[in-house]
Structure formats: structure tokens, C-alpha cells
Amino acid sequence: MSGESTNKDKVISKRIDRFFTGLESAYLFVKRFFKEVWFPPYEFKEVIRQCYQIGYNSLPLISLTGFIVGVVFTNQSRPSLAEFGATSWLPALISIAVIRAMGPLVTALIAAGKVGSSIGAEIGSMKVTEQIDAMEVSATNPFKFLVVSRVLASTFMIPILVLYTDFVALLGAFVNVHANEMTSLSTFFVQVFDALSFLDITSSLVKSVVFGFTIGIVGCYKGYNSTKGTEGVGKAANSAVVMAMFLIFIEELLSLQVTNFFRQQ
Amino acid sequence: MIESVVQVRNLVKSFDDLHVLRGVDLDLFRGENLVVLGKSGSGKSVLIKIMVGLLTQDEGSVKVLGQEVKNLNSKELNELRLKIGFSFQASALYDSMTVRENLEFPLVRNVKGLSKQEKDKMVEEVLDSVGLLQTINQMPSQLSGGQRKRIGIARTLILQPEIMLYDEPTAGLDPITCMDINNLINQVNEKYKTTSIIITHDLTCAKETGDRVAVLLDGAFGASGKFEDVFENAEDYRIKSFYDYNFIKQ
């Protein structure tokens, strides 16, 4: 009996140990990013290449998703407002929902799936095929070339994608509102912007920057630390997505508290 | 007296409970091709990875071109690495880049002030020396295993290193391609005046390319000398069986 409990204790202590070691290594990874990002050489060409990969290549998926979100959300909200004869409030309701929460959240979750997994898998496979070692022995800093460039690109591009998703989602909402209420484009967008405050837009952009950083750094961290061959690459890609999504929801919750604090001032 | 470019003394390296190197001593003299032989997992690759600072030893000293590798800061280590070419077992070509970009990668980051024409000339020259100029715009995925090895060697040659470290250059290749790679190693040594360590378990490669061979047994060198001296009159059964197995069909 006591032997069994000793074994259990050992397993638990090993798990706790692994958790804190992982936490420490993630902290050191983020610290290294902030240490290396300021100093030359700057890999501008690679940052631009990554911006293209992350931004431009995500446009079709983001466009489709954003448009559908706009259409569906408008459609689902209409019956509740119609009960109070308040369908004219639809543009205001949708703009607040899209700009404050849905635009950033939907974009970040899609990017976590598409961009985060691709960064995790790409860096992971470079790690297991010794490409990262090859960079190191040719006197190139692989952290700067691979990690700093990807994290910067994702931090720059996610806010731009969020603005684009907001626009496309509002366009989807307009199509639905126009089809049902015959509202004109100018009236729709006047109502949309009337409902928004400066705080709504800035808070949305600030949290998008945080989401972008999270997606980039988590993907890079998981890829850079992958082991065990091709199995490790799969795990790196998978855990990059899961971890990024988890952190995005936590950050969304925190940003809500912070924004509410400023709104009440 | 011939200068020793790599000097290893009492090198010890373990991974958790696995003791890989248990007191390795080695001297590599300028201009020679030293072949390090040993079974898989005997620590051959670990040895050369310590020489370029990819791994750090637990104990002992590794001096490359007179500098103690573990005492170098990152700038000094990078300067040393420019003098060492490392050819990886799986070539380690950058998948997302063309052959030209692979070769330009170390060049643009380490040689400042090169014009595009000069860069192109250097890339073409080194590709020509490995006989693969026609692959310049191809992606690594379009190349055969032997071609990838050659391009990997070309990438290390572009910085004109003094020392070449080959990690299993013939692993996974057919006998004819192996012969091509062996010839290439000898040509590189002649043309670029390099000093080389060739890590392998292929005795044909060892015989063709090595001026001297050293056999890694149980974490330390069990025998060292000319190929014929080490193998043909070997008394140690581990070395004898290694030789017999490789030439079993003869």
C-alpha cells in the first residue's frame, strides 16, 4: 500500500516539476524574444515574407468566415429585437458586438488554427531535420531569423486582419439588414459608427496586438522545443493551436475587465 | 612539425544516464582527412557537435584552431564557426528556399558588401565544384538524396572553411552515389585545402577518404592509425567484427 502511494507521489511530483520547468522555459523564451528584438541584424526581408504568409494567405478564409459571422449574427439577433419592435437597432447592436468582441476573437481563433499550427509545424520540422542547427553553425542566429521575424509578423498582421474581418462582417450584416429592412448602405454605416466609441476601437486593436503576439510566440515556442521526430512535429503543431486558443480566451476575459474599468471612469 | 587544428582531451559527455563519451582524446592535423568510425549511437556525431558548440561537454577540453570552444562567447563562437564547415547527415537544406537561396543564406549574413554579381558568381562557382549547377533554381524537395548531400556540402564550402566536418556523408545512399560523395570529399580537400573529420560507419568511405582512421569504442578511441594498420591486422574482436561485417561479401 505504502509502496503504491510512494509511486503515486513520485508521479505527481514529476508532473509538478515538469509543469514548472515548462513554465520557466516559456518565460525564458519570451524573455529572449524581448532581448533579441531590439538589436541588429534585423531580418526585414523575412518579416515581410512572413507578413505575406500570415496576412495575405489568410484573407480567403478570414473573408468567408467574417462575412458568414455578420450574416448569421444579424439573422439570429433580429427575432429578439423584433419582439420589442427594435429592429432599427440592429446596425448598432451588430457593430458593438463585432468591433468589441467577435471580430478580434474570430480572427484570432482562425489565425491560431491556421497560422499557429503552420508556424509550430514548420519550425518543428526544421528542428528535427537539423535545419536550425545548420543555421547556427553557419553563424546565423536562428532565433532571430525564425522566431523574432514570425512573432513580429504575426503581431503586425493580426490587428490588420481584425480590421478587415470587422469590415467584412459588417458588410455581411448590411447585406442581411438591407435584404430584410431595406436599409441603405449610408444609413447602415452611420448607425454603425454612431454606436461606437473611441475606446471600443482602441481596445479592440490593442487586444488584437496581444492576440497576434500570443499566436506567434506560442507557435514558435512549441516548434522550437519539439522533439521525437515527426511525431514531435505533429504534437508541436497541435499543442500550438490548443495553447494559443486557451490563452486567447484568457486574454479576452482580462481585456474585458480592463476595458470595463476604463468605461466606468 | 604539423600544426594540430583540433585538440580534444579527456572529453566526457552524458545524456542523463547514458554515458556517450568517456574520455576521448584526439588530434586533427592540418591538411589531413581523419575518419571517425563507430557503431550507431557510439557518440561520433556528438563529438563533432561539441567541436562547433552545438553541444557542450560535461568534462574535458576541446580546442579548435587554438580556441577552447566552451569558453567562447557567442560572437567569438560565430567567428570560429565561419572557419568550420559542417555537413549534416540529412543535409539540413532549408526546405522553403531554392538551392540558390540555400547557398546565399550564409553568404549574405556573413560577408558584407557583396554585389549581386559577386554573390551569383560565388554561388555558381561552388555549385559547379559539386557538379550541380543545373539545380540552382530547384527546391530541395526536387532533389535526390545524393544531390541534397552535394548541395549541403556546397553550402558549407561557400564560406571557404578551414575545417570540414562531415556527419555520415554516405548514409542512406546507393553504392555508386556513395562513391561520388567519397570522390567529392577528396576533391574538396584538394581544391579548398581543408582539414576534415569524416564521421561514418561505412568502411568503404573510410578507406577511400581517410588519411587516418580512429575507431570509437565504448565512448573512447579504441584504435587509431592508417586504415590497413587498424583493420587488416586487428586483434580486438569489436574492431575485427566491424571490419568483417562491412566486407562480409568479399
Side-chain angles (χ1 to χ4, degrees):
Chain A
M1 247 337 241
S2 72
E4 208 173 278
S5 73
T6 317
N7 275 347
K8 249 184 193 170
D9 288 348
K10 267 186 188 170
V11 171
I12 291 168
S13 88
K14 237 183 190 175
R15 277 189 187 165
I16 293 172
D17 188 44
R18 210 182 304 152
F19 174 76
F20 282 107
T21 313
L23 218 56
E24 190 201 7
S25 113
Y27 164 72
L28 291 174
F29 194 82
V30 176
K31 192 176 153 194
R32 188 174 172 193
F33 170 81
F34 282 110
K35 203 176 142 196
E36 301 225 4
V37 70
W38 310 111
F39 301 105
Y42 305 110
E43 299 283 355
F44 290 120
K45 215 173 152 189
E46 183 62 10
V47 173
I48 290 167
R49 198 176 78 87
Q50 289 303 324
C51 283
Y52 175 82
Q53 296 272 351
I54 294 168
Y56 183 76
N57 287 348
S58 303
L59 280 181
L61 187 60
I62 295 275
S63 304
L64 186 71
T65 321
F67 192 83
I68 291 173
V69 163
V71 172
V72 171
F73 185 69
T74 312
N75 223 20
Q76 298 286 16
S77 307
R78 181 173 291 104
S80 307
L81 290 180
E83 272 186 42
F84 303 100
T87 46
S88 60
W89 285 4
L90 264 173
L93 172 78
I94 292 156
S95 76
I96 288 173
V98 166
I99 304 292
R100 283 188 189 174
M102 284 167 64
L105 207 56
V106 166
T107 313
L109 292 178
I110 289 173
K114 189 180 182 298
V115 177
S117 65
S118 109
I119 291 177
E122 188 186 6
I123 297 184
S125 78
M126 289 184 80
K127 169 95 176 175
V128 301
T129 55
E130 296 182 309
Q131 291 176 50
I132 293 180
D133 286 347
M135 280 185 189
E136 214 158 308
V137 295
S138 64
T140 301
N141 182 346
F143 193 90
K144 197 150 246 181
F145 183 78
L146 297 171
V147 177
V148 173
S149 62
R150 279 160 177 77
V151 176
L152 282 181
S154 133
T155 311
F156 291 145
M157 291 316 291
I158 300 300
I160 295 172
L161 285 176
V162 165
L163 285 177
Y164 176 75
T165 311
D166 290 347
F167 172 72
V168 175
L170 289 174
L171 214 60
F174 165 73
V175 169
N176 192 293
V177 169
H178 179 73
N180 291 282
E181 280 86 27
M182 303 304 287
T183 311
S184 72
L185 184 69
S186 58
T187 312
F188 178 84
F189 275 101
V190 165
Q191 288 184 350
V192 161
F193 286 112
D194 275 352
L196 294 174
S197 67
F198 179 70
L199 184 64
D200 291 329
I201 295 169
T202 45
S203 68
S204 167
L205 282 178
V206 169
K207 75 177 166 191
S208 307
V209 169
V210 177
F211 290 164
F213 176 78
T214 305
I215 292 164
I217 202 91
V218 170
C220 289
Y221 173 72
K222 291 292 178 185
Y224 215 79
N225 291 291
S226 70
T227 48
K228 296 178 189 168
T230 45
E231 187 198 343
V233 176
K235 270 189 184 166
N238 182 270
S239 58
V241 176
V242 174
M243 181 59 77
M245 284 186 173
F246 174 72
L247 289 175
I248 284 165
F249 281 115
I250 303 277
E251 286 161 0
E252 173 69 28
L253 209 60
L254 289 175
S255 94
L256 181 68
Q257 303 305 318
V258 174
T259 318
N260 278 347
F261 171 78
F262 283 112
R263 201 162 275 138
Q264 283 157 12
Q265 297 301 303
Chain B
M1 198 177 141
I2 307 170
E3 183 196 354
S4 164
V5 291
V6 177
Q7 212 173 46
V8 178
R9 294 288 176 269
N10 193 31
L11 185 66
V12 176
K13 177 71 183 171
S14 305
F15 296 96
D16 297 324
D17 296 333
L18 186 68
H19 305 291
V20 182
L21 302 175
R22 307 162 182 246
V24 169
D25 292 313
L26 170 81
D27 280 292
L28 176 70
F29 299 104
R30 188 169 291 279
E32 78 167 336
N33 275 3
L34 170 71
V35 174
V36 175
L37 284 156
K39 286 194 301 183
S40 297
S42 61
K44 308 183 294 290
S45 301
V46 171
L47 175 65
I48 56 171
K49 282 183 177 172
I50 292 173
M51 288 177 192
V52 287
L54 282 177
L55 294 172
T56 313
Q57 68 265 43
D58 299 334
E59 283 174 41
S61 151
V62 177
K63 280 187 181 172
V64 178
L65 297 168
Q67 301 184 78
E68 182 65 54
V69 176
K70 72 173 176 190
N71 294 341
L72 300 176
N73 62 33
S74 65
K75 194 175 169 232
E76 291 165 336
L77 186 60
N78 279 342
E79 278 166 17
L80 178 68
R81 281 169 172 169
L82 293 177
K83 297 172 188 162
I84 307 171
F86 196 115
S87 165
F88 286 85
Q89 185 173 351
S91 309
L93 297 181
Y94 310 129
D95 293 329
S96 57
M97 300 180 198
T98 62
V99 169
R100 181 195 291 277
E101 289 165 340
N102 261 281
L103 268 68
E104 280 178 354
F105 189 86
L107 200 60
V108 293
R109 280 163 183 80
N110 296 302
V111 186
K112 301 289 168 208
L114 279 179
S115 67
K116 194 182 175 311
Q117 284 84 352
E118 285 171 317
K119 252 188 315 187
D120 288 349
K121 195 179 163 221
M122 287 173 84
V123 168
E124 284 164 19
E125 205 174 283
V126 82
L127 264 182
D128 195 32
S129 72
V130 298
L132 286 174
L133 188 55
Q134 73 281 7
T135 63
I136 192 160
N137 292 317
Q138 289 185 346
M139 297 300 286
S141 57
Q142 294 172 291
L143 305 173
S144 69
Q147 286 177 322
R148 291 171 69 98
K149 287 260 158 112
R150 281 167 171 269
I151 302 289
I153 293 172
R155 189 177 60 188
T156 64
L157 287 175
I158 201 147
L159 293 174
Q160 302 192 333
E162 289 178 41
I163 303 169
M164 280 295 291
L165 305 174
Y166 298 92
D167 191 3
E168 306 275 10
T170 56
L173 301 177
D174 64 87
I176 294 168
T177 314
C178 285
M179 215 160 64
D180 288 345
I181 297 288
N182 295 341
N183 290 338
L184 179 64
I185 291 171
N186 288 330
Q187 283 164 17
V188 164
N189 193 36
E190 217 166 273
K191 185 173 175 187
Y192 293 89
K193 306 282 175 232
T194 52
T195 305
S196 312
I197 295 182
I198 301 133
I199 300 290
T200 186
H201 51 240
D202 171 7
L203 285 196
T204 313
C205 172
K207 202 171 182 178
E208 294 290 323
T209 60
D211 299 315
R212 190 159 62 96
V213 298
V215 187
L216 207 49
L217 297 168
D218 298 328
F221 284 118
S224 157
K226 289 210 175 298
F227 185 88
E228 294 76 16
D229 299 338
V230 170
F231 286 105
E232 289 177 6
N233 306 309
E235 285 181 7
D236 186 319
Y237 77 95
R238 293 169 300 178
I239 298 174
K240 211 168 169 345
S241 61
F242 203 85
Y243 183 76
D244 291 344
Y245 178 76
N246 269 263
F247 290 104
I248 203 156
K249 283 180 185 161
Q250 288 181 6

